[in-house]
Coordinates of all heavy atoms in Angstrom, one line a residue:
P1 N 0.8 -1.2 0.0 CA 0.0 0.0 0.0 C 0.8 1.3 0.0 O 0.4 2.3 -0.5 CB -0.8 -0.1 1.3 CG -0.1 -1.1 2.1 CD 0.6 -2.0 1.2
Q2 N 2.1 1.2 0.5 CA 2.9 2.4 0.6 C 3.3 2.9 -0.8 O 3.6 4.1 -1.0 CB 4.1 2.2 1.5 CG 5.1 1.1 1.0 CD 4.7 -0.2 1.5 OE1 3.6 -0.5 1.8 NE2 5.7 -1.1 1.5
T3 N 3.3 2.0 -1.8 CA 3.6 2.4 -3.1 C 2.5 2.1 -4.1 O 2.7 2.2 -5.3 CB 4.9 1.6 -3.6 OG1 4.6 0.2 -3.5 CG2 6.1 2.0 -2.8
N4 N 1.3 1.7 -3.6 CA 0.2 1.3 -4.4 C 0.6 0.4 -5.5 O 0.2 0.5 -6.7 CB -0.4 2.6 -5.0 CG -1.0 3.5 -4.0 OD1 -1.7 3.0 -3.0 ND2 -0.8 4.8 -4.2
S5 N 1.3 -0.7 -5.2 CA 1.8 -1.6 -6.1 C 1.5 -3.1 -5.7 O 1.2 -3.3 -4.5 CB 3.3 -1.4 -6.4 OG 4.0 -1.6 -5.2
L6 N 1.7 -4.0 -6.6 CA 1.5 -5.4 -6.4 C 2.9 -6.1 -6.7 O 3.5 -5.8 -7.7 CB 0.4 -6.0 -7.2 CG -1.0 -5.6 -6.9 CD1 -1.9 -6.1 -8.0 CD2 -1.5 -6.2 -5.5
L7 N 3.2 -7.0 -5.8 CA 4.4 -7.8 -6.1 C 4.0 -9.3 -6.3 O 3.3 -9.9 -5.5 CB 5.4 -7.8 -4.9 CG 6.7 -8.6 -5.0 CD1 7.5 -8.1 -6.1 CD2 7.4 -8.6 -3.7
L8 N 4.3 -9.8 -7.5 CA 3.9 -11.1 -7.9 C 5.1 -12.1 -7.9 O 6.1 -11.8 -8.4 CB 3.3 -11.1 -9.3 CG 2.2 -10.1 -9.7 CD1 1.7 -10.4 -11.1 CD2 1.0 -10.3 -8.7
A9 N 4.9 -13.2 -7.2 CA 5.9 -14.2 -7.2 C 5.5 -15.3 -8.2 O 4.4 -15.9 -8.0 CB 6.1 -14.9 -5.8
T10 N 6.3 -15.5 -9.2 CA 5.9 -16.4 -10.3 C 7.0 -17.4 -10.5 O 8.1 -17.3 -9.9 CB 5.7 -15.6 -11.6 OG1 7.0 -15.3 -12.2 CG2 4.9 -14.3 -11.4
R11 N 6.7 -18.4 -11.4 CA 7.8 -19.4 -11.7 C 8.9 -18.8 -12.5 O 10.0 -19.5 -12.6 CB 7.1 -20.6 -12.4 CG 6.0 -21.3 -11.6 CD 6.6 -22.0 -10.4 NE 5.5 -22.5 -9.6 CZ 5.0 -23.7 -9.6 NH1 5.5 -24.6 -10.5 NH2 4.1 -24.1 -8.8
A12 N 8.7 -17.6 -13.0 CA 9.8 -17.0 -13.8 C 10.5 -15.8 -13.0 O 11.2 -15.0 -13.6 CB 9.2 -16.4 -15.1
G13 N 10.2 -15.7 -11.7 CA 10.8 -14.6 -10.9 C 9.8 -13.7 -10.3 O 8.6 -14.0 -10.3
F14 N 10.2 -12.6 -9.8 CA 9.3 -11.6 -9.1 C 9.0 -10.4 -10.1 O 9.9 -9.9 -10.7 CB 10.0 -11.2 -7.9 CG 10.2 -12.3 -6.9 CD1 11.4 -13.0 -6.9 CD2 9.3 -12.6 -5.9 CE1 11.7 -14.0 -6.0 CE2 9.5 -13.6 -5.0 CZ 10.7 -14.3 -5.1
F15 N 7.8 -10.0 -10.1 CA 7.3 -8.9 -10.9 C 6.6 -7.9 -10.1 O 5.8 -8.3 -9.2 CB 6.5 -9.4 -12.1 CG 7.2 -10.2 -13.1 CD1 7.5 -11.6 -12.8 CD2 7.7 -9.7 -14.3 CE1 8.1 -12.3 -13.8 CE2 8.3 -10.4 -15.2 CZ 8.6 -11.8 -14.9
S16 N 6.7 -6.6 -10.4 CA 6.0 -5.5 -9.7 C 5.3 -4.7 -10.7 O 5.7 -4.4 -11.8 CB 7.0 -4.7 -8.9 OG 6.3 -3.6 -8.2
G17 N 4.1 -4.2 -10.3 CA 3.3 -3.3 -11.1 C 2.2 -2.6 -10.3 O 2.0 -2.9 -9.1
P18 N 1.6 -1.5 -10.8 CA 0.6 -0.8 -10.1 C -0.6 -1.6 -9.7 O -1.0 -2.5 -10.5 CB 0.3 0.4 -11.0 CG 0.6 -0.1 -12.4 CD 1.8 -1.0 -12.2
D19 N -1.3 -1.3 -8.6 CA -2.4 -2.1 -8.2 C -3.7 -1.8 -9.0 O -4.7 -2.4 -8.8 CB -2.7 -2.0 -6.7 CG -2.9 -0.5 -6.2 OD1 -3.2 0.3 -7.1 OD2 -2.7 -0.2 -5.0
D20 N -3.6 -0.8 -9.9 CA -4.8 -0.6 -10.8 C -4.5 -1.1 -12.2 O -5.3 -0.9 -13.1 CB -5.1 0.9 -10.9 CG -3.9 1.7 -11.4 OD1 -2.8 1.1 -11.7 OD2 -4.0 3.0 -11.6
F21 N -3.4 -1.9 -12.3 CA -3.1 -2.6 -13.6 C -3.0 -1.6 -14.8 O -3.2 -2.0 -15.9 CB -4.1 -3.7 -13.9 CG -4.3 -4.7 -12.8 CD1 -5.2 -4.5 -11.8 CD2 -3.5 -5.9 -12.8 CE1 -5.3 -5.5 -10.8 CE2 -3.7 -6.8 -11.9 CZ -4.6 -6.6 -10.8
S22 N -2.6 -0.4 -14.5 CA -2.5 0.6 -15.6 C -1.3 0.5 -16.5 O -1.4 0.9 -17.6 CB -2.5 2.1 -15.0 OG -1.5 2.2 -14.0
T23 N -0.3 -0.1 -16.0 CA 0.9 -0.4 -16.8 C 1.4 -1.8 -16.6 O 1.0 -2.5 -15.6 CB 2.1 0.5 -16.4 OG1 2.4 0.3 -15.0 CG2 1.7 2.0 -16.6
P24 N 2.1 -2.4 -17.5 CA 2.6 -3.8 -17.4 C 3.5 -4.0 -16.2 O 4.1 -3.1 -15.6 CB 3.3 -4.0 -18.7 CG 2.9 -3.0 -19.6 CD 2.6 -1.8 -18.8
F25 N 3.5 -5.3 -15.7 CA 4.3 -5.7 -14.6 C 5.8 -5.8 -15.1 O 6.0 -6.3 -16.2 CB 3.9 -7.0 -14.0 CG 2.7 -6.9 -13.2 CD1 1.4 -6.8 -13.7 CD2 2.8 -6.7 -11.8 CE1 0.3 -6.7 -12.9 CE2 1.6 -6.6 -11.0 CZ 0.4 -6.6 -11.6
V26 N 6.7 -5.4 -14.3 CA 8.1 -5.3 -14.6 C 8.9 -6.3 -13.7 O 8.6 -6.3 -12.5 CB 8.7 -3.9 -14.5 CG1 10.2 -3.9 -14.8 CG2 8.0 -3.0 -15.4
K27 N 9.8 -7.0 -14.2 CA 10.6 -8.0 -13.4 C 11.6 -7.2 -12.5 O 12.2 -6.3 -12.9 CB 11.4 -8.9 -14.3 CG 12.0 -10.1 -13.6 CD 12.6 -11.1 -14.5 CE 13.1 -12.3 -13.8 NZ 13.6 -13.4 -14.7
L28 N 11.6 -7.7 -11.2 CA 12.5 -7.2 -10.2 C 13.7 -8.1 -10.0 O 13.5 -9.3 -9.9 CB 11.8 -6.9 -8.9 CG 10.6 -5.9 -8.9 CD1 10.0 -5.8 -7.5 CD2 11.1 -4.5 -9.4
P29 N 14.9 -7.5 -9.7 CA 16.1 -8.4 -9.4 C 16.1 -8.8 -8.0 O 17.0 -8.4 -7.2 CB 17.2 -7.5 -9.8 CG 16.7 -6.1 -9.5 CD 15.2 -6.1 -9.9
I30 N 15.1 -9.5 -7.5 CA 15.1 -10.0 -6.1 C 16.0 -11.2 -6.0 O 15.7 -12.2 -6.6 CB 13.6 -10.2 -5.6 CG1 12.8 -9.0 -5.6 CG2 13.6 -10.9 -4.3 CD1 11.4 -9.1 -5.2
N31 N 17.0 -11.1 -5.2 CA 18.0 -12.2 -5.1 C 17.7 -13.2 -4.0 O 18.5 -13.5 -3.2 CB 19.4 -11.6 -4.9 CG 19.4 -10.8 -3.6 OD1 18.4 -10.3 -3.1 ND2 20.6 -10.6 -3.1
V32 N 16.4 -13.7 -4.0 CA 16.0 -14.7 -3.1 C 15.9 -16.1 -3.8 O 15.2 -16.2 -4.7 CB 14.7 -14.4 -2.5 CG1 14.2 -15.5 -1.6 CG2 14.8 -13.1 -1.7

């Protein structure tokens, strides 16, 4: 909520995007 975004954990890595789906999700370099 602090950034109004969603973080998706997928089989291809982690992706972030706005919670209103206004722009595509972008892959994040999360080293977990």
Side-chain angles (χ1 to χ4, degrees):
Q2 63 272 23
T3 57
N4 294 321
S5 62
L6 291 168
L7 180 63
L8 308 183
T10 77
R11 298 295 171 93
F14 298 88
F15 292 80
S16 179
D19 57 20
D20 60 359
F21 302 88
S22 57
T23 60
F25 285 83
V26 177
K27 191 170 185 178
L28 296 182
I30 296 180
N31 58 338
V32 173

